[in-house]
């Protein structure tokens, strides 16, 4: 690494001071606006403007030109009396055309909030965290300042959910990566700025992040993504791609009734020639069907096979079961664990003169529960033993592990163990999922994109809004950008309602989108509409998915494994200098060769389609029409049975 030259003299402009300069970019202090600006040395392009919220009163004149790092001359240092110290260093790499500015703000005394805000003026921003009604870019979001951790969007629709990384990418060719070890709050002010903030604390925790700039948005992302993921990226079980998932909708109270429902549903799939698929069970049905005794709660490995009623029919099905790290306090398992002195298996607090462990009470799926202490190896082994018992009993193909989101301590304003601060629990749960095997599916992801796991997207509303159908493409682009290419989208028609989808058009348009995603997932069976057209289209798009989409995913999965390039790509990926591509949120690429432009508006039989610039023309796979790149197809006709798919034609 080579160090950029440090400039601290005042230039001719009275309100503008150069602080650091590299080979093509430099950092400027704008005295009038109290902003740090990264721009080209030639001053013909601004990468980012950072509103510095660490300098007290905005009316105070702050020259910000005295460099206190005189001895090493590799950093710029400055101190605001009684408020904060800042250290900024500029580093460049001979291996890439990227220059990075490392920022560290440290409060002078305790209980100070540090806050920096990044302007959205002339910059489209991406990344951060999933939200209830996703947008691409995030400029149109409005999110109150809050802890930057994953929560359950069902319970907290205004929070952050599903997939989260401390990474933000700007269309000007700028990337922001925040230190993973500091407590962080994030807020987004629609069309104005997004802000990073530390909370007041006794440890004088710094606000620490790195801003990198490069040739364009694609180039800077390809460099920055290496900081978010380890080079040894592992592929998950690719068999998950091939079969659709069918959610068993049932409301029964015994394992025998669940088995009967399974038999009925399996027969319905067969009668409609849809038998090749995976039937997924929720946590309640999984618990009923397992019908286990609770001897394993003694904490000892069982010495022989359990004696239990065999389920030969169930074992002949492809099924997915659902587990979570929660256990109801009303259950016999929990009562037995307390009697056997297994309090340390659950997240607990020490209380009383003898420091007894008291399990922490929390809420999950309408019940009061305790949560697995994932830092305890004995508790981890107990959970894995539970999975082993289920597998022997049910022979399931896949395990959906949900419930990692949320911080049980923070929810009750309690100070957590240092080993479980922030989203550490999710990372440990991902490690547990790895130990289960390559058939595990997670509901959340953070700093785990390199692991061989599928991520289940957040549930959506059964409507046409950004909380429903319109949110699918922004969500898939968000997941892929952060490295989570292997995901299971929400069920066709949305799953936030347990009612079957009766809107034929919504079902078809939803189906047409997810047919091009990694996995087809259903909650409403297509025969519920009573229309042959819906059944025929379902079979058609299942076939399209298996024979056209899956080979593409497998091809680009190998590229992701070696380079980190996403499988699903925004249009700016192949046209990174074209501003028209920065805000398109209803089209996507699979690799560089396939462009998909579904209809996302109700009652529409045409749509505008933008074809990005490329080395080859684009051909519509439906009618063989050929178009040059870099052009807009205005009001392009799209029938209800169609989804426009273009391939590059050499």
């Amino acid at each position: 690494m080579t160090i950029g030259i440090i400039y601290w003299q005042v230039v001719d402009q009275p309100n503008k001071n150069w602080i650091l300069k590299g080979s093509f970019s430099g950092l400027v202090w704008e005295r009038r606006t109290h902003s740090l600006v990264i721009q080209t040395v030639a001053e013909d392009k601004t990468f980012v403007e950072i509103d510095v919220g660490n300098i007290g009163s905005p009316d105070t004149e702050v020259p910000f030109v005295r460099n206190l790092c005189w001895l090493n001359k590799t950093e710029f240092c400055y101190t605001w009396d009684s408020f904060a110290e800042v250290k900024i260093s500029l580093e460049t790499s001979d291996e890439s055309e990227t220059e990075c500015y490392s920022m560290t703000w440290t409060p002078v005394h305790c209980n100070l909030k540090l806050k920096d805000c990044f302007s959205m003026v002339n910059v489209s921003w991406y990344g951060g965290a999933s939200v209830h009604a996703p947008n691409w870019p995030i400029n149109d979001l409005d999110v109150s300042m809050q802890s930057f951790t994953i929560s359950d969007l069902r319970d907290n629709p205004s929070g952050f959910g599903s997939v989260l990384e401390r990474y933000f990418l700007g269309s000007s060719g700028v990337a922001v990566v925040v230190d993973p070890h500091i407590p962080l709050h994030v807020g987004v002010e629609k069309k104005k700025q997004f802000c990073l903030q530390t909370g007041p604390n006794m440890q004088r925790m710094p606000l620490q992040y790195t801003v990198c700039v490069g040739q364009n948005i694609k180039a800077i992302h390809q460099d920055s993504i290496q900081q978010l993921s380890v080079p040894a990226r592992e592929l998950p079980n690719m068999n998950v791609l091939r079969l659709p998932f069918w959610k068993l909708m049932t409301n029964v109270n015994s394992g025998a009734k669940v088995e009967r429902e399974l038999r009925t549903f399996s027969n319905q799939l067969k009668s409609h020639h849809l038998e090749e698929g995976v039937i997924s069970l929720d946590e309640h049905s999984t618990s009923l069907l397992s019908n286990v005794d609770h001897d394993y709660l003694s904490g000892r490995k069982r010495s022989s096979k359990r004696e239990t009623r065999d389920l030969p029919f169930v074992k002949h099905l492809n099924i997915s079961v659902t587990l979570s790290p929660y256990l109801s306090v009303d259950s016999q398992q929990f009562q037995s664990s307390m009697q056997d002195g297994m309090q340390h298996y659950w997240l607990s607090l020490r209380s009383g003169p003898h420091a007894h462990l008291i399990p922490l009470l929390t809420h999950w799926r309408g019940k009061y529960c305790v949560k697995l202490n994932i830092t305890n190896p004995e508790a981890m082994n107990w959970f894995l033993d539970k999975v082993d018992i289920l597998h022997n009993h049910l022979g399931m193909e896949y395990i959906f592990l949900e419930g990692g989101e949320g911080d049980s301590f923070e929810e009750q304003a309690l100070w957590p163990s240092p080993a479980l601060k922030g989203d550490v629990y999710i990372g440990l749960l991902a490690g547990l999922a790895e130990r289960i095997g390559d058939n595990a599916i997670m509901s959340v992801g953070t700093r785990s994109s390199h692991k061989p796991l599928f991520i289940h997207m957040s549930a959506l509303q059964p409507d046409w809004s950004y909380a429903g159908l319109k949110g699918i493409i922004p969500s898939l682009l968000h997941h892929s950008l952060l490295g989570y290419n292997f995901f299971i989208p929400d069920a066709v028609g949305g799953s936030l309602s347990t009612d079957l989808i009766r809107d034929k058009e919504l079902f078809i348009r939803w189906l047409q989108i997810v047919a091009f995603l990694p996995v087809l997932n259903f909650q409403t069976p297509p025969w519920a509409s009573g229309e042959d057209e819906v059944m025929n289209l379902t079979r058609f798009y299942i076939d399209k998915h298996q024979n056209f989409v899956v080979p593409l995913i497998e091809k680009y999965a190998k590229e992701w494994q070696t380079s980190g390039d996403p499988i699903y790509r925004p249009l700016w990926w192949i046209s990174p200098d074209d501003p028209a591509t920065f805000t398109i949120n209803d089209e996507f690429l699979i690799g560089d060769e396939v462009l998909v432009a579904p209809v996302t508006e109700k009652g529409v039989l045409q749509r505008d389609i933008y074809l990005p610039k490329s080395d080859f023309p684009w051909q519509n796979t439906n009618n063989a029409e050929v178009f040059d790149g870099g052009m807009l197809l205005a009001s392009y006709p799209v029938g209800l049975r169609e989804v426009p798919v273009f391939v590059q034609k050499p």
Side-chain angles (χ1 to χ4, degrees):
M1 305 291 283
T2 60
I3 307 300
I5 303 171
I6 301 178
Y7 286 73
W8 59 84
Q9 68 270 24
V10 179
V11 295
D12 292 338
Q13 299 92 327
N15 291 300
K16 183 175 182 179
N17 308 130
W18 287 98
I19 293 174
L20 298 170
K21 278 188 178 179
S23 59
F24 71 89
S25 72
L27 182 65
V28 173
W29 171 242
E30 291 282 359
R31 297 165 72 180
R32 181 178 293 125
T33 60
H34 286 187
S35 298
L36 291 169
V37 179
I38 301 177
Q39 61 183 40
T40 56
V41 173
E43 303 184 44
D44 57 353
K45 178 181 179 179
T46 295
F47 292 100
V48 64
E49 181 176 344
I50 308 169
D51 178 24
V52 178
N54 305 324
I55 59 174
S57 171
D59 299 325
T60 304
E61 174 64 23
V62 182
F64 201 6
V65 293
R66 291 177 291 129
N67 183 19
L68 303 181
C69 296
W70 295 109
L71 296 180
N72 60 34
K73 296 193 176 183
T74 60
E75 295 176 317
F76 179 87
C77 304
Y78 193 84
T79 301
W80 280 281
D81 293 339
S82 73
F83 199 85
E85 300 172 346
V86 62
K87 288 186 178 181
I88 308 173
S89 63
L90 168 62
E91 297 180 342
T92 60
S93 172
D94 295 332
E95 298 176 357
S96 66
E97 297 180 1
T98 299
E99 294 182 342
C100 295
Y101 299 80
S102 297
M103 312 273 195
T104 302
W105 296 91
T106 304
V108 172
H109 55 81
C110 304
N111 294 321
L112 283 176
K113 294 181 180 180
L114 303 178
K115 180 179 179 181
D116 284 358
C117 297
F118 297 78
S119 174
M120 291 179 168
V121 177
N122 298 322
V123 183
S124 294
W125 287 96
Y126 317 91
S130 303
V131 293
H132 172 62
N135 261 280
W136 179 271
I138 66 173
N139 297 47
D140 286 326
L141 295 180
D142 229 333
V143 181
S144 61
M145 182 65 70
Q146 59 187 283
S147 177
F148 198 56
T149 54
I150 295 177
S151 59
D152 188 341
L153 294 181
R154 292 175 184 264
D155 299 329
N156 181 24
S158 62
F160 299 116
S162 186
V163 162
L164 173 152
E165 296 292 349
R166 297 182 172 205
Y167 173 60
F168 298 87
L169 179 68
S171 59
S172 59
V174 58
V176 180
V177 180
V178 186
D179 184 279
H181 303 108
I182 61 170
L184 180 68
H185 287 66
V186 172
V188 184
E189 190 177 352
K190 186 175 181 178
K191 296 185 185 299
K192 292 184 178 180
Q193 60 187 11
F194 73 89
C195 299
L196 310 176
Q197 178 179 293
T198 61
N201 60 83
M202 298 300 293
Q203 289 78 31
R204 295 176 59 224
M205 293 295 293
L207 176 58
Q208 198 165 9
Y209 59 88
T210 300
V211 182
C212 296
V213 295
Q215 181 182 2
N216 56 46
I217 184 173
K218 177 183 177 181
I220 197 65
H221 174 70
Q222 288 179 312
D223 280 346
S224 301
I225 197 67
Q226 307 305 325
Q227 300 180 47
L228 299 178
S229 174
V230 300
R233 303 176 188 90
E234 298 182 62
L235 293 176
N237 183 352
M238 301 298 277
N239 289 331
V240 178
L241 302 171
R242 302 192 174 279
L243 299 179
F245 277 61
W246 303 93
K247 186 173 182 179
L248 180 67
M249 298 293 291
T250 183
N251 185 22
V252 296
N253 56 9
S254 74
K257 291 179 179 178
V258 173
E259 185 181 3
R260 184 168 64 245
E261 294 282 332
L262 266 171
R263 188 182 299 273
T264 300
F265 190 67
S266 175
N267 289 335
Q268 287 177 313
L269 288 171
K270 289 178 181 177
S271 67
H272 292 96
H273 307 291
L274 297 168
E275 60 267 29
E276 291 297 319
V278 179
I279 303 176
S280 55
L281 309 177
D282 62 17
E283 189 175 13
H284 178 66
S285 295
T286 298
S287 177
L288 291 175
L289 191 62
S290 63
N291 193 28
V292 295
D293 58 33
H294 311 298
D295 293 340
Y296 59 87
L297 272 166
S298 65
R300 299 187 297 270
K301 275 280 190 180
R302 65 189 187 286
S303 57
S304 61
K305 279 192 173 183
R306 288 176 7 88
E307 294 181 2
T308 184
R309 183 170 63 89
D310 193 18
L311 296 172
F313 173 75
V314 174
K315 287 188 175 183
H316 281 94
L317 298 176
N318 288 329
I319 64 170
S320 164
V321 301
T322 302
L323 299 175
S324 80
Y326 291 93
L327 188 63
S328 170
V329 295
D330 294 332
S331 67
Q332 180 59 46
Q333 297 102 308
F334 174 70
Q335 300 301 325
S336 298
S337 74
M338 297 300 289
Q339 293 170 8
D340 293 341
M342 295 165 57
Q343 291 89 337
H344 57 295
Y345 276 36
W346 319 113
L347 296 180
S348 305
L349 295 172
R350 293 195 175 275
S351 178
H354 302 291
H356 294 298
L357 282 176
I358 306 297
L360 188 66
L361 194 64
T362 188
H363 208 250
W364 173 251
R365 297 292 187 259
K367 294 183 178 180
Y368 287 106
C369 299
V370 291
K371 194 171 185 179
L372 189 72
N373 180 7
I374 206 163
T375 64
N376 185 330
E378 291 182 33
M380 294 270 278
N381 289 333
W382 167 81
F383 191 89
L384 291 169
D385 193 33
K386 178 180 177 180
V387 172
D388 190 32
I389 292 170
L390 277 175
H391 195 273
N392 288 336
H393 189 35
L394 304 179
M396 66 275 190
E397 290 293 321
Y398 304 107
I399 297 171
F400 178 32
L401 190 57
E402 62 178 356
E405 59 269 26
D407 186 329
S408 300
F409 293 94
E410 186 176 285
E411 289 164 5
Q412 301 181 45
L414 299 172
W415 192 254
S417 162
L420 289 173
K421 282 185 178 179
D423 284 323
V424 173
Y425 194 99
I426 293 173
L428 295 174
L429 196 65
L432 176 62
E434 275 192 291
R435 292 179 63 183
I436 290 174
D438 66 358
N439 62 344
I441 300 164
M442 291 275 291
S443 63
V444 288
T446 183
R447 294 192 291 280
S448 58
S449 62
H450 59 284
K451 294 182 179 294
L453 302 169
F454 270 79
I455 300 292
H456 201 292
M457 283 184 169
S458 299
L460 296 173
Q461 294 177 357
D463 59 32
W464 297 83
S465 71
Y466 280 102
L469 180 141
K470 278 193 186 70
I472 301 173
I473 296 177
S475 186
L476 84 89
L477 292 173
H478 169 79
H479 278 63
S480 294
L481 183 78
L482 298 186
Y484 297 88
N485 295 276
F486 306 100
F487 51 84
I488 299 178
D490 192 31
V492 172
S495 66
L496 279 179
S497 171
T498 57
D499 296 333
L500 298 181
I501 305 303
R502 302 299 182 186
D503 185 336
K504 168 185 167 183
E505 183 187 4
L506 179 66
F507 186 95
I508 291 174
R509 291 306 193 193
W510 204 302
L511 170 66
Q512 289 170 340
I513 298 175
V514 300
F516 292 89
L517 305 192
V519 177
L520 271 163
N521 186 20
F522 295 89
Q523 176 171 288
T524 296
W527 58 81
S529 68
E531 297 194 29
D532 291 340
E533 182 182 20
V534 174
M535 279 301 314
N536 292 334
L537 283 175
T538 300
R539 297 189 193 100
F540 172 81
Y541 280 109
I542 289 175
D543 183 72
K544 184 82 169 180
H545 174 82
Q546 293 173 339
N547 295 302
F548 179 76
V549 179
V550 171
L552 281 171
I553 296 174
E554 291 175 333
K555 173 183 176 180
Y556 285 100
K558 295 176 182 177
E559 185 176 317
W560 166 80
Q561 201 172 10
T562 56
S563 69
D565 289 352
I567 296 173
Y568 289 91
R569 302 170 181 178
L571 267 59
W572 52 251
W573 188 265
I574 58 176
S575 193
D577 297 312
D578 182 0
T581 64
F582 295 157
T583 57
I584 294 176
N585 64 1
D586 56 359
E587 302 178 35
F588 60 91
L589 299 166
I590 307 177
D592 282 352
E593 62 185 289
V594 175
L595 183 149
V596 185
V599 169
T600 60
E601 297 283 347
K602 182 177 177 61
V604 168
L605 296 177
Q606 74 283 319
R607 60 155 295 168
D608 292 345
I609 300 174
Y610 188 76
L611 300 175
K613 298 173 184 176
S614 63
D615 295 333
F616 305 101
W618 294 95
Q619 183 177 52
N620 189 333
T621 59
N622 295 326
N623 56 24
E625 289 183 321
V626 177
F627 303 92
D628 291 330
M631 67 181 300
L632 177 69
L633 307 180
S635 301
Y636 195 77
V638 184
L640 180 60
R641 299 173 60 90
E642 300 173 354
V643 54
V645 178
F646 296 82
V647 297
Q648 289 200 38
K649 182 177 174 60

